[in-house]
Amino acid sequence: AAPLAAQVVPLRAFSAAAATKVAKVLEAELAHEEKQYEQAKEIQAFLKGSPWKFSETPGDVNMAIERTVGDKVVRIDFQLTSPFDPDMEVEGGEGQEQSTELSITVEGKDGAGMIFYCSTASGEDHRYIIGNVKAFASKAERESVSSYHGPEFEDLDDKLQEALDEYLAELGLCTEVCDFVDAIATDKEQREYI
């Protein structure tokens, strides 16, 4: 994507004075953001010490981390998030911890698997909430945009909920992964803005 300054409407669309003012303000904003930007140390530490492989494309809001566990590929897909969400503000003036929507796909070599539709959650121990669980028998079924996303997780039997939660933990979903997803989602938004 083009830098913020390059995305501005061509100068001839403004009066000369307004165009000059806009250009100066944008240049100052860009300089300020570039000077202030620093990637969190936790992001690099996670990437260096983790079996997860991170992928992203400049200009694209989508990101993923992926790893192989036994004969299954585990992929966590998510998008950038804004560091400020006005809906998260509470009356005291302080915002709550932000969450990031993510999908966790577990797929075997035969193309069958499961998708867990989740979001990160604040806290020390259990940093994610499972919304829905979808099983699929093939790549085509997995990629179908109109397929059933599975039942609400909380509607499942308690023992099944516990078993699926333990399964995700065995696949590597943990506090550190959720911390990384939240941090890189906000970091990506900042990098794309610049």
Side-chain angles (χ1 to χ4, degrees):
L4 180 64
Q7 296 177 24
V8 177
V9 177
L11 294 180
R12 65 178 172 250
F14 295 104
S15 72
T20 301
K21 183 177 181 178
V22 168
K24 285 182 180 180
V25 171
L26 282 174
E27 287 173 13
E29 172 70 5
L30 182 60
H32 170 77
E33 291 296 330
E34 287 174 339
K35 183 179 177 185
Q36 296 297 314
Y37 174 75
E38 183 178 338
Q39 190 172 60
K41 292 175 180 72
E42 296 81 15
I43 291 172
Q44 290 303 320
F46 177 85
L47 291 171
K48 288 179 184 170
S50 170
W52 295 94
K53 301 299 175 219
F54 176 64
S55 63
E56 68 173 329
T57 302
D60 189 335
V61 299
N62 297 310
M63 295 169 281
I65 56 175
E66 186 173 289
R67 70 182 285 192
T68 301
V69 179
D71 64 343
K72 301 202 180 324
V73 174
V74 182
R75 180 179 173 95
I76 301 177
D77 293 286
F78 54 99
Q79 294 185 334
L80 61 77
T81 58
S82 174
F84 174 74
D85 183 353
D87 294 334
M88 297 296 282
E89 288 294 313
V90 292
E91 285 188 27
E94 288 190 32
Q96 301 172 346
E97 288 289 320
Q98 187 130 1
S99 67
T100 306
E101 301 291 320
L102 52 105
S103 63
I104 304 160
T105 304
V106 184
E107 188 170 358
K109 292 179 181 176
D110 63 355
M114 300 176 77
I115 301 175
F116 296 82
Y117 297 96
C118 307
S119 61
T120 59
S122 60
E124 296 291 319
D125 297 329
H126 203 263
R127 286 271 289 117
Y128 60 92
I129 298 168
I130 303 170
N132 296 77
V133 181
K134 170 185 175 177
F136 57 89
S138 66
K139 181 179 179 180
E141 191 177 326
R142 173 178 51 94
E143 293 178 351
S144 173
V145 293
S146 61
S147 67
Y148 176 57
H149 278 204
E152 292 286 330
F153 187 73
E154 63 188 31
D155 292 341
L156 298 174
D157 179 80
D158 289 345
K159 289 180 182 180
L160 181 55
Q161 288 182 36
E162 186 177 320
L164 290 170
D165 200 31
E166 288 173 6
Y167 181 56
L168 284 177
E170 286 179 12
L171 295 172
L173 189 59
C174 60
T175 298
E176 292 77 21
V177 169
C178 292
D179 289 346
F180 171 78
V181 166
D182 283 341
I184 198 72
T186 301
D187 179 79
K188 172 79 168 176
E189 195 283 334
Q190 184 64 30
R191 287 183 287 124
E192 291 299 328
Y193 177 70
I194 294 174

